[in-house]
Amino acid sequence: MQTMRITGRDRGIRLALVAAAMLAMPAVATTVAAGERSSGRLATADQSATTAPVAQGRVSGEGFGAFLAARQARADGDTAAAARYYNAALKADPGNAWLLRRAFLLSVSEGLLQDALPLADRVLADDETAPVANLTIAVDDLKNGRYDKAGDRIVSASKRGSMRLVGPLLHAWVAFGSGEGAKAVDRLDQLDKTEAFSVFSDYSRGLILAAAGDLSGAITAFDALPPGTRFDLRSSLVRAAVVVRRDGPEALKGELDKLKQRFGDDPLLAPYLDGSRPIDDAFPVRNANDGAAEALYGAASAMARDSINDISMIYLRMALHLRPDLDVAQALLGDIREANDRWAEAISAYESINTASSYKWGARLRTAWALHRLGKTEPALELLRRMAAERADDTTALTTMADILRGQSRFAEAAEIYGEAIDRVKSFDVGHWVLFYARGISRERSGHWRMAEEDLLRALELRPRQPLVMNYLGYSWADKGVRLDEAIDMIRAAVDQRPTDGYIVDSLGWALFRMGRHEEAVQHLERAVELRPDDPTINDHLGDVYWHVGRRLESCFQWKRALTLDPDTTQVEELREKLQAGLAGDKRPFHGCG
């Protein structure tokens, strides 16, 4: 039973991807969705296709097949195919306003802006304030220097939905592009009326002032963030670049030292630390288009963080239309594709990132993961091995390799690769607990318990009372019938920190069961099943403890349920034996679960 239980506890760890901080979305983006919800009317600016009913009105016979294919593609998450099919259906039925809106929105979200622009004009013929249609044309006007037209469109688009944030930001950059710097800053003031938007206002104000040459004013704006709000690394690098512009090259070391202390060995910071990239490269705005792209990217990343991906994709495509070389936007695009299991398209986005970009290393790691998810595990491992050879002091490629191997139950190989990563660490700090934890898991699963125990204890030295480690070690002790009192104390401490983690609550129940404290075990295992109803091992455990307290019918129910929850091959055999003969060693009569 331990095999599946350990897999459940181990689920979801991707060490290198967490450690590498590859996307670096701005911290200022974290509160947008909350601000929109507070208005009581967060909706997609477009009344999106995800919530739309069946087409209003009739779809012509010629276009009906394409319409059905589009709906199915949309349901499957394949918006590229859905866009093609909706456009095909619209050609067959050009007067259908519902098809027009769907074809337009999906063309935008797939980055087909040249196809979307004429459709936007048709949408506006029916609804002159349609936000996404106005925004699409406004962004194209801005891109081509038509600032007056862009401004008018943005005003029209800013009255509905999430455009209440993006509208003023873009309007400010339109003013900047028109040479009206003071007016550009003033246009951000209306965002300060909504607390959740003020961080965007401060950041954009800083960018505008810095781009206009008011460096001290820019730093003041950056430092005006509300209490408790902090820039992420990318935004912090922007601020550092402005400080160095103002104070001269002698300020560089101090700024980088502060970032190093806060962000450690983040790959995004590395080229600035080693001098291979000048700090001024971190400042992202060369002109109004760049500034508008930053605004749209910031809004997109905020929406993505709250999994509002329909709007996020629209803003992201607009940002890339304005600035195709905005690598952080390509990274976010890949991340959203991953979230929707569109691995090939994620790879395409990652490969679009410039080779010289600070984001390229992280993008290559993500590419390897996506290849693995596509079933191309060996090419993924080959890519990671090449990457590991390129940077002798880097651990992220090795840990990603090990993560993939561990996910395939190739535990001995994974343990060896984690060991290679550990050997590259010159000085261990609290953040390295996860390496020892992962190697401990891999060693335990490959039959090397003593070495695994050493790793888990080492992880706790680096990160005392870490709940995942305490749970894994405590459970392992309990399952082996050793150090049971310590196991119980350790798991209880983990439960205290994570009372709603079904795996940890299950560990406590299972440890009590192993100590023969069956009645106590029942309440914890029942709670674990409530928290993780679809886990086969937790249901299996509850069946075992029910058996020992004489609740045989309920035992049978739990074992049968566990069989329906995709247990592994070994556990399937064990469950079938229990259903036929009960638990081994019990001499009470039993004639099977029926």
PDB file of all heavy atoms in Angstrom, residues 299-333:
ATOM      1  N   ALA A 299      -1.528  43.555 -17.276  1.00  0.00           N
ATOM      2  CA  ALA A 299      -2.920  43.142 -17.083  1.00  0.00           C
ATOM      3  C   ALA A 299      -3.097  41.662 -17.418  1.00  0.00           C
ATOM      4  O   ALA A 299      -3.813  40.935 -16.721  1.00  0.00           O
ATOM      5  CB  ALA A 299      -3.837  44.003 -17.944  1.00  0.00           C
ATOM      6  N   ALA A 300      -2.445  41.214 -18.485  1.00  0.00           N
ATOM      7  CA  ALA A 300      -2.558  39.803 -18.873  1.00  0.00           C
ATOM      8  C   ALA A 300      -2.014  38.891 -17.781  1.00  0.00           C
ATOM      9  O   ALA A 300      -2.613  37.862 -17.452  1.00  0.00           O
ATOM     10  CB  ALA A 300      -1.800  39.557 -20.181  1.00  0.00           C
ATOM     11  N   SER A 301      -0.875  39.250 -17.203  1.00  0.00           N
ATOM     12  CA  SER A 301      -0.289  38.401 -16.176  1.00  0.00           C
ATOM     13  C   SER A 301      -1.170  38.374 -14.933  1.00  0.00           C
ATOM     14  O   SER A 301      -1.281  37.347 -14.260  1.00  0.00           O
ATOM     15  CB  SER A 301       1.125  38.866 -15.834  1.00  0.00           C
ATOM     16  OG  SER A 301       1.125  40.150 -15.266  1.00  0.00           O
ATOM     17  N   ALA A 302      -1.812  39.500 -14.624  1.00  0.00           N
ATOM     18  CA  ALA A 302      -2.725  39.528 -13.485  1.00  0.00           C
ATOM     19  C   ALA A 302      -3.892  38.573 -13.701  1.00  0.00           C
ATOM     20  O   ALA A 302      -4.254  37.798 -12.811  1.00  0.00           O
ATOM     21  CB  ALA A 302      -3.241  40.951 -13.270  1.00  0.00           C
ATOM     22  N   MET A 303      -4.484  38.635 -14.874  1.00  0.00           N
ATOM     23  CA  MET A 303      -5.611  37.760 -15.168  1.00  0.00           C
ATOM     24  C   MET A 303      -5.168  36.291 -15.164  1.00  0.00           C
ATOM     25  O   MET A 303      -5.879  35.414 -14.675  1.00  0.00           O
ATOM     26  CB  MET A 303      -6.218  38.119 -16.522  1.00  0.00           C
ATOM     27  CG  MET A 303      -6.773  39.524 -16.611  1.00  0.00           C
ATOM     28  SD  MET A 303      -8.088  39.834 -15.406  1.00  0.00           S
ATOM     29  CE  MET A 303      -8.390  41.576 -15.684  1.00  0.00           C
ATOM     30  N   ALA A 304      -3.988  36.036 -15.698  1.00  0.00           N
ATOM     31  CA  ALA A 304      -3.502  34.654 -15.737  1.00  0.00           C
ATOM     32  C   ALA A 304      -3.291  34.106 -14.343  1.00  0.00           C
ATOM     33  O   ALA A 304      -3.548  32.931 -14.071  1.00  0.00           O
ATOM     34  CB  ALA A 304      -2.203  34.572 -16.535  1.00  0.00           C
ATOM     35  N   ARG A 305      -2.829  34.943 -13.434  1.00  0.00           N
ATOM     36  CA  ARG A 305      -2.618  34.481 -12.072  1.00  0.00           C
ATOM     37  C   ARG A 305      -3.916  34.049 -11.422  1.00  0.00           C
ATOM     38  O   ARG A 305      -3.922  33.191 -10.537  1.00  0.00           O
ATOM     39  CB  ARG A 305      -1.964  35.579 -11.235  1.00  0.00           C
ATOM     40  CG  ARG A 305      -0.490  35.743 -11.542  1.00  0.00           C
ATOM     41  CD  ARG A 305       0.180  36.644 -10.527  1.00  0.00           C
ATOM     42  NE  ARG A 305       1.618  36.654 -10.763  1.00  0.00           N
ATOM     43  CZ  ARG A 305       2.520  36.984  -9.848  1.00  0.00           C
ATOM     44  NH1 ARG A 305       2.136  37.304  -8.637  1.00  0.00           N
ATOM     45  NH2 ARG A 305       3.803  36.972 -10.138  1.00  0.00           N
ATOM     46  N   ASP A 306      -5.006  34.649 -11.818  1.00  0.00           N
ATOM     47  CA  ASP A 306      -6.306  34.251 -11.294  1.00  0.00           C
ATOM     48  C   ASP A 306      -7.034  33.312 -12.256  1.00  0.00           C
ATOM     49  O   ASP A 306      -8.236  33.115 -12.144  1.00  0.00           O
ATOM     50  CB  ASP A 306      -7.171  35.481 -11.023  1.00  0.00           C
ATOM     51  CG  ASP A 306      -6.981  36.003  -9.606  1.00  0.00           C
ATOM     52  OD1 ASP A 306      -5.959  35.635  -8.984  1.00  0.00           O
ATOM     53  OD2 ASP A 306      -7.828  36.766  -9.126  1.00  0.00           O
ATOM     54  N   SER A 307      -6.285  32.754 -13.199  1.00  0.00           N
ATOM     55  CA  SER A 307      -6.819  31.783 -14.162  1.00  0.00           C
ATOM     56  C   SER A 307      -7.950  32.349 -14.997  1.00  0.00           C
ATOM     57  O   SER A 307      -8.849  31.616 -15.410  1.00  0.00           O
ATOM     58  CB  SER A 307      -7.278  30.506 -13.426  1.00  0.00           C
ATOM     59  OG  SER A 307      -6.182  29.908 -12.754  1.00  0.00           O
ATOM     60  N   ILE A 308      -7.915  33.640 -15.255  1.00  0.00           N
ATOM     61  CA  ILE A 308      -8.905  34.268 -16.147  1.00  0.00           C
ATOM     62  C   ILE A 308      -8.249  34.340 -17.517  1.00  0.00           C
ATOM     63  O   ILE A 308      -7.855  35.404 -18.010  1.00  0.00           O
ATOM     64  CB  ILE A 308      -9.322  35.650 -15.620  1.00  0.00           C
ATOM     65  CG1 ILE A 308      -9.712  35.562 -14.142  1.00  0.00           C
ATOM     66  CG2 ILE A 308     -10.493  36.207 -16.420  1.00  0.00           C
ATOM     67  CD1 ILE A 308      -9.984  36.908 -13.501  1.00  0.00           C
ATOM     68  N   ASN A 309      -8.115  33.186 -18.138  1.00  0.00           N
ATOM     69  CA  ASN A 309      -7.230  33.081 -19.298  1.00  0.00           C
ATOM     70  C   ASN A 309      -7.831  33.650 -20.579  1.00  0.00           C
ATOM     71  O   ASN A 309      -7.083  34.010 -21.490  1.00  0.00           O
ATOM     72  CB  ASN A 309      -6.821  31.627 -19.515  1.00  0.00           C
ATOM     73  CG  ASN A 309      -5.797  31.185 -18.496  1.00  0.00           C
ATOM     74  OD1 ASN A 309      -5.157  32.001 -17.843  1.00  0.00           O
ATOM     75  ND2 ASN A 309      -5.639  29.883 -18.336  1.00  0.00           N
ATOM     76  N   ASP A 310      -9.142  33.721 -20.701  1.00  0.00           N
ATOM     77  CA  ASP A 310      -9.719  34.276 -21.918  1.00  0.00           C
ATOM     78  C   ASP A 310      -9.313  35.741 -22.101  1.00  0.00           C
ATOM     79  O   ASP A 310      -8.844  36.147 -23.168  1.00  0.00           O
ATOM     80  CB  ASP A 310     -11.251  34.177 -21.888  1.00  0.00           C
ATOM     81  CG  ASP A 310     -11.732  32.773 -22.188  1.00  0.00           C
ATOM     82  OD1 ASP A 310     -10.888  31.936 -22.536  1.00  0.00           O
ATOM     83  OD2 ASP A 310     -12.937  32.513 -22.059  1.00  0.00           O
ATOM     84  N   ILE A 311      -9.497  36.540 -21.031  1.00  0.00           N
ATOM     85  CA  ILE A 311      -9.107  37.947 -21.119  1.00  0.00           C
ATOM     86  C   ILE A 311      -7.595  38.062 -21.189  1.00  0.00           C
ATOM     87  O   ILE A 311      -7.047  38.882 -21.922  1.00  0.00           O
ATOM     88  CB  ILE A 311      -9.641  38.739 -19.909  1.00  0.00           C
ATOM     89  CG1 ILE A 311     -11.144  38.541 -19.751  1.00  0.00           C
ATOM     90  CG2 ILE A 311      -9.333  40.220 -20.074  1.00  0.00           C
ATOM     91  CD1 ILE A 311     -11.722  39.233 -18.558  1.00  0.00           C
ATOM     92  N   SER A 312      -6.911  37.234 -20.413  1.00  0.00           N
ATOM     93  CA  SER A 312      -5.454  37.283 -20.411  1.00  0.00           C
ATOM     94  C   SER A 312      -4.896  37.090 -21.808  1.00  0.00           C
ATOM     95  O   SER A 312      -3.979  37.805 -22.234  1.00  0.00           O
ATOM     96  CB  SER A 312      -4.901  36.205 -19.470  1.00  0.00           C
ATOM     97  OG  SER A 312      -3.493  36.227 -19.447  1.00  0.00           O
ATOM     98  N   MET A 313      -5.432  36.136 -22.550  1.00  0.00           N
ATOM     99  CA  MET A 313      -4.929  35.872 -23.897  1.00  0.00           C
ATOM    100  C   MET A 313      -5.162  37.064 -24.822  1.00  0.00           C
ATOM    101  O   MET A 313      -4.312  37.395 -25.654  1.00  0.00           O
ATOM    102  CB  MET A 313      -5.595  34.626 -24.470  1.00  0.00           C
ATOM    103  CG  MET A 313      -5.053  33.323 -23.916  1.00  0.00           C
ATOM    104  SD  MET A 313      -3.317  33.049 -24.368  1.00  0.00           S
ATOM    105  CE  MET A 313      -3.469  32.803 -26.128  1.00  0.00           C
ATOM    106  N   ILE A 314      -6.292  37.733 -24.671  1.00  0.00           N
ATOM    107  CA  ILE A 314      -6.573  38.893 -25.515  1.00  0.00           C
ATOM    108  C   ILE A 314      -5.549  39.993 -25.255  1.00  0.00           C
ATOM    109  O   ILE A 314      -4.941  40.546 -26.181  1.00  0.00           O
ATOM    110  CB  ILE A 314      -8.011  39.392 -25.275  1.00  0.00           C
ATOM    111  CG1 ILE A 314      -9.017  38.400 -25.900  1.00  0.00           C
ATOM    112  CG2 ILE A 314      -8.213  40.793 -25.839  1.00  0.00           C
ATOM    113  CD1 ILE A 314     -10.448  38.656 -25.540  1.00  0.00           C
ATOM    114  N   TYR A 315      -5.325  40.316 -23.980  1.00  0.00           N
ATOM    115  CA  TYR A 315      -4.354  41.358 -23.650  1.00  0.00           C
ATOM    116  C   TYR A 315      -2.943  40.947 -24.068  1.00  0.00           C
ATOM    117  O   TYR A 315      -2.143  41.781 -24.524  1.00  0.00           O
ATOM    118  CB  TYR A 315      -4.392  41.657 -22.150  1.00  0.00           C
ATOM    119  CG  TYR A 315      -5.649  42.351 -21.691  1.00  0.00           C
ATOM    120  CD1 TYR A 315      -6.037  42.297 -20.366  1.00  0.00           C
ATOM    121  CD2 TYR A 315      -6.448  43.053 -22.579  1.00  0.00           C
ATOM    122  CE1 TYR A 315      -7.195  42.939 -19.926  1.00  0.00           C
ATOM    123  CE2 TYR A 315      -7.608  43.682 -22.152  1.00  0.00           C
ATOM    124  CZ  TYR A 315      -7.973  43.622 -20.819  1.00  0.00           C
ATOM    125  OH  TYR A 315      -9.122  44.249 -20.402  1.00  0.00           O
ATOM    126  N   LEU A 316      -2.631  39.690 -23.902  1.00  0.00           N
ATOM    127  CA  LEU A 316      -1.301  39.212 -24.253  1.00  0.00           C
ATOM    128  C   LEU A 316      -1.050  39.338 -25.750  1.00  0.00           C
ATOM    129  O   LEU A 316       0.034  39.761 -26.194  1.00  0.00           O
ATOM    130  CB  LEU A 316      -1.165  37.764 -23.802  1.00  0.00           C
ATOM    131  CG  LEU A 316       0.225  37.169 -23.677  1.00  0.00           C
ATOM    132  CD1 LEU A 316       1.087  37.995 -22.751  1.00  0.00           C
ATOM    133  CD2 LEU A 316       0.117  35.743 -23.160  1.00  0.00           C
ATOM    134  N   ARG A 317      -2.039  38.965 -26.548  1.00  0.00           N
ATOM    135  CA  ARG A 317      -1.893  39.087 -28.001  1.00  0.00           C
ATOM    136  C   ARG A 317      -1.741  40.551 -28.424  1.00  0.00           C
ATOM    137  O   ARG A 317      -0.983  40.872 -29.346  1.00  0.00           O
ATOM    138  CB  ARG A 317      -3.096  38.462 -28.692  1.00  0.00           C
ATOM    139  CG  ARG A 317      -3.201  36.963 -28.517  1.00  0.00           C
ATOM    140  CD  ARG A 317      -2.015  36.228 -29.103  1.00  0.00           C
ATOM    141  NE  ARG A 317      -2.256  34.785 -29.184  1.00  0.00           N
ATOM    142  CZ  ARG A 317      -1.389  33.910 -29.643  1.00  0.00           C
ATOM    143  NH1 ARG A 317      -0.214  34.313 -30.066  1.00  0.00           N
ATOM    144  NH2 ARG A 317      -1.694  32.625 -29.689  1.00  0.00           N
ATOM    145  N   MET A 318      -2.465  41.431 -27.740  1.00  0.00           N
ATOM    146  CA  MET A 318      -2.324  42.861 -28.049  1.00  0.00           C
ATOM    147  C   MET A 318      -0.909  43.337 -27.720  1.00  0.00           C
ATOM    148  O   MET A 318      -0.299  44.103 -28.480  1.00  0.00           O
ATOM    149  CB  MET A 318      -3.338  43.673 -27.241  1.00  0.00           C
ATOM    150  CG  MET A 318      -4.781  43.313 -27.481  1.00  0.00           C
ATOM    151  SD  MET A 318      -5.380  43.851 -29.078  1.00  0.00           S
ATOM    152  CE  MET A 318      -7.106  43.395 -28.920  1.00  0.00           C
ATOM    153  N   ALA A 319      -0.393  42.884 -26.576  1.00  0.00           N
ATOM    154  CA  ALA A 319       0.966  43.277 -26.193  1.00  0.00           C
ATOM    155  C   ALA A 319       1.976  42.817 -27.235  1.00  0.00           C
ATOM    156  O   ALA A 319       2.885  43.573 -27.622  1.00  0.00           O
ATOM    157  CB  ALA A 319       1.306  42.694 -24.827  1.00  0.00           C
ATOM    158  N   LEU A 320       1.829  41.592 -27.701  1.00  0.00           N
ATOM    159  CA  LEU A 320       2.770  41.064 -28.691  1.00  0.00           C
ATOM    160  C   LEU A 320       2.578  41.697 -30.060  1.00  0.00           C
ATOM    161  O   LEU A 320       3.521  41.766 -30.857  1.00  0.00           O
ATOM    162  CB  LEU A 320       2.626  39.544 -28.776  1.00  0.00           C
ATOM    163  CG  LEU A 320       3.183  38.792 -27.556  1.00  0.00           C
ATOM    164  CD1 LEU A 320       2.747  37.328 -27.568  1.00  0.00           C
ATOM    165  CD2 LEU A 320       4.705  38.897 -27.517  1.00  0.00           C
ATOM    166  N   HIS A 321       1.376  42.174 -30.349  1.00  0.00           N
ATOM    167  CA  HIS A 321       1.165  42.908 -31.591  1.00  0.00           C
ATOM    168  C   HIS A 321       1.953  44.215 -31.562  1.00  0.00           C
ATOM    169  O   HIS A 321       2.575  44.606 -32.567  1.00  0.00           O
ATOM    170  CB  HIS A 321      -0.327  43.190 -31.779  1.00  0.00           C
ATOM    171  CG  HIS A 321      -0.666  43.882 -33.065  1.00  0.00           C
ATOM    172  ND1 HIS A 321      -0.403  43.351 -34.305  1.00  0.00           N
ATOM    173  CD2 HIS A 321      -1.261  45.100 -33.300  1.00  0.00           C
ATOM    174  CE1 HIS A 321      -0.812  44.176 -35.255  1.00  0.00           C
ATOM    175  NE2 HIS A 321      -1.332  45.249 -34.672  1.00  0.00           N
ATOM    176  N   LEU A 322       1.956  44.861 -30.400  1.00  0.00           N
ATOM    177  CA  LEU A 322       2.701  46.107 -30.265  1.00  0.00           C
ATOM    178  C   LEU A 322       4.207  45.857 -30.198  1.00  0.00           C
ATOM    179  O   LEU A 322       4.995  46.643 -30.721  1.00  0.00           O
ATOM    180  CB  LEU A 322       2.263  46.838 -28.989  1.00  0.00           C
ATOM    181  CG  LEU A 322       0.901  47.520 -29.041  1.00  0.00           C
ATOM    182  CD1 LEU A 322       0.466  47.923 -27.643  1.00  0.00           C
ATOM    183  CD2 LEU A 322       0.946  48.750 -29.949  1.00  0.00           C
ATOM    184  N   ARG A 323       4.571  44.775 -29.536  1.00  0.00           N
ATOM    185  CA  ARG A 323       5.999  44.508 -29.350  1.00  0.00           C
ATOM    186  C   ARG A 323       6.266  43.009 -29.465  1.00  0.00           C
ATOM    187  O   ARG A 323       6.279  42.279 -28.470  1.00  0.00           O
ATOM    188  CB  ARG A 323       6.462  45.022 -27.988  1.00  0.00           C
ATOM    189  CG  ARG A 323       7.967  44.909 -27.822  1.00  0.00           C
ATOM    190  CD  ARG A 323       8.478  45.548 -26.556  1.00  0.00           C
ATOM    191  NE  ARG A 323       9.918  45.364 -26.478  1.00  0.00           N
ATOM    192  CZ  ARG A 323      10.670  45.771 -25.462  1.00  0.00           C
ATOM    193  NH1 ARG A 323      10.111  46.412 -24.448  1.00  0.00           N
ATOM    194  NH2 ARG A 323      11.959  45.545 -25.462  1.00  0.00           N
ATOM    195  N   PRO A 324       6.500  42.517 -30.669  1.00  0.00           N
ATOM    196  CA  PRO A 324       6.706  41.072 -30.863  1.00  0.00           C
ATOM    197  C   PRO A 324       7.911  40.514 -30.115  1.00  0.00           C
ATOM    198  O   PRO A 324       7.971  39.313 -29.866  1.00  0.00           O
ATOM    199  CB  PRO A 324       6.904  40.960 -32.385  1.00  0.00           C
ATOM    200  CG  PRO A 324       6.232  42.166 -32.956  1.00  0.00           C
ATOM    201  CD  PRO A 324       6.454  43.247 -31.945  1.00  0.00           C
ATOM    202  N   ASP A 325       8.877  41.370 -29.755  1.00  0.00           N
ATOM    203  CA  ASP A 325      10.071  40.883 -29.067  1.00  0.00           C
ATOM    204  C   ASP A 325       9.942  40.940 -27.539  1.00  0.00           C
ATOM    205  O   ASP A 325      10.946  40.835 -26.827  1.00  0.00           O
ATOM    206  CB  ASP A 325      11.309  41.686 -29.494  1.00  0.00           C
ATOM    207  CG  ASP A 325      11.246  43.146 -29.072  1.00  0.00           C
ATOM    208  OD1 ASP A 325      10.141  43.639 -28.755  1.00  0.00           O
ATOM    209  OD2 ASP A 325      12.305  43.807 -29.049  1.00  0.00           O
ATOM    210  N   LEU A 326       8.741  41.080 -27.023  1.00  0.00           N
ATOM    211  CA  LEU A 326       8.531  41.115 -25.570  1.00  0.00           C
ATOM    212  C   LEU A 326       8.590  39.680 -25.039  1.00  0.00           C
ATOM    213  O   LEU A 326       7.584  38.983 -24.953  1.00  0.00           O
ATOM    214  CB  LEU A 326       7.192  41.775 -25.237  1.00  0.00           C
ATOM    215  CG  LEU A 326       6.916  42.056 -23.757  1.00  0.00           C
ATOM    216  CD1 LEU A 326       7.991  42.941 -23.148  1.00  0.00           C
ATOM    217  CD2 LEU A 326       5.538  42.688 -23.583  1.00  0.00           C
ATOM    218  N   ASP A 327       9.790  39.251 -24.677  1.00  0.00           N
ATOM    219  CA  ASP A 327      10.020  37.849 -24.349  1.00  0.00           C
ATOM    220  C   ASP A 327       9.221  37.375 -23.147  1.00  0.00           C
ATOM    221  O   ASP A 327       8.776  36.224 -23.095  1.00  0.00           O
ATOM    222  CB  ASP A 327      11.512  37.613 -24.095  1.00  0.00           C
ATOM    223  CG  ASP A 327      12.340  37.746 -25.366  1.00  0.00           C
ATOM    224  OD1 ASP A 327      11.759  37.585 -26.459  1.00  0.00           O
ATOM    225  OD2 ASP A 327      13.548  38.014 -25.269  1.00  0.00           O
ATOM    226  N   VAL A 328       9.032  38.257 -22.165  1.00  0.00           N
ATOM    227  CA  VAL A 328       8.281  37.842 -20.989  1.00  0.00           C
ATOM    228  C   VAL A 328       6.830  37.526 -21.366  1.00  0.00           C
ATOM    229  O   VAL A 328       6.187  36.663 -20.763  1.00  0.00           O
ATOM    230  CB  VAL A 328       8.360  38.921 -19.885  1.00  0.00           C
ATOM    231  CG1 VAL A 328       7.611  40.182 -20.272  1.00  0.00           C
ATOM    232  CG2 VAL A 328       7.870  38.375 -18.559  1.00  0.00           C
ATOM    233  N   ALA A 329       6.317  38.190 -22.387  1.00  0.00           N
ATOM    234  CA  ALA A 329       4.960  37.901 -22.855  1.00  0.00           C
ATOM    235  C   ALA A 329       4.915  36.551 -23.561  1.00  0.00           C
ATOM    236  O   ALA A 329       3.952  35.789 -23.409  1.00  0.00           O
ATOM    237  CB  ALA A 329       4.470  39.013 -23.790  1.00  0.00           C
ATOM    238  N   GLN A 330       5.943  36.230 -24.339  1.00  0.00           N
ATOM    239  CA  GLN A 330       5.999  34.902 -24.955  1.00  0.00           C
ATOM    240  C   GLN A 330       6.083  33.816 -23.888  1.00  0.00           C
ATOM    241  O   GLN A 330       5.476  32.751 -24.020  1.00  0.00           O
ATOM    242  CB  GLN A 330       7.211  34.809 -25.880  1.00  0.00           C
ATOM    243  CG  GLN A 330       7.111  35.632 -27.153  1.00  0.00           C
ATOM    244  CD  GLN A 330       6.128  35.046 -28.167  1.00  0.00           C
ATOM    245  OE1 GLN A 330       5.491  34.025 -27.923  1.00  0.00           O
ATOM    246  NE2 GLN A 330       6.013  35.701 -29.312  1.00  0.00           N
ATOM    247  N   ALA A 331       6.834  34.082 -22.813  1.00  0.00           N
ATOM    248  CA  ALA A 331       6.927  33.114 -21.722  1.00  0.00           C
ATOM    249  C   ALA A 331       5.569  32.898 -21.070  1.00  0.00           C
ATOM    250  O   ALA A 331       5.177  31.761 -20.768  1.00  0.00           O
ATOM    251  CB  ALA A 331       7.948  33.585 -20.688  1.00  0.00           C
ATOM    252  N   LEU A 332       4.829  33.979 -20.854  1.00  0.00           N
ATOM    253  CA  LEU A 332       3.495  33.857 -20.274  1.00  0.00           C
ATOM    254  C   LEU A 332       2.554  33.121 -21.215  1.00  0.00           C
ATOM    255  O   LEU A 332       1.726  32.302 -20.786  1.00  0.00           O
ATOM    256  CB  LEU A 332       2.937  35.237 -19.929  1.00  0.00           C
ATOM    257  CG  LEU A 332       1.519  35.277 -19.373  1.00  0.00           C
ATOM    258  CD1 LEU A 332       1.380  34.403 -18.129  1.00  0.00           C
ATOM    259  CD2 LEU A 332       1.099  36.710 -19.060  1.00  0.00           C
ATOM    260  N   LEU A 333       2.676  33.401 -22.512  1.00  0.00           N
ATOM    261  CA  LEU A 333       1.860  32.695 -23.500  1.00  0.00           C
ATOM    262  C   LEU A 333       2.108  31.193 -23.404  1.00  0.00           C
ATOM    263  O   LEU A 333       1.167  30.391 -23.400  1.00  0.00           O
ATOM    264  CB  LEU A 333       2.190  33.208 -24.900  1.00  0.00           C
ATOM    265  CG  LEU A 333       1.495  32.519 -26.072  1.00  0.00           C
ATOM    266  CD1 LEU A 333      -0.013  32.643 -25.955  1.00  0.00           C
ATOM    267  CD2 LEU A 333       1.983  33.106 -27.399  1.00  0.00           C
TER     268      LEU A 333
END
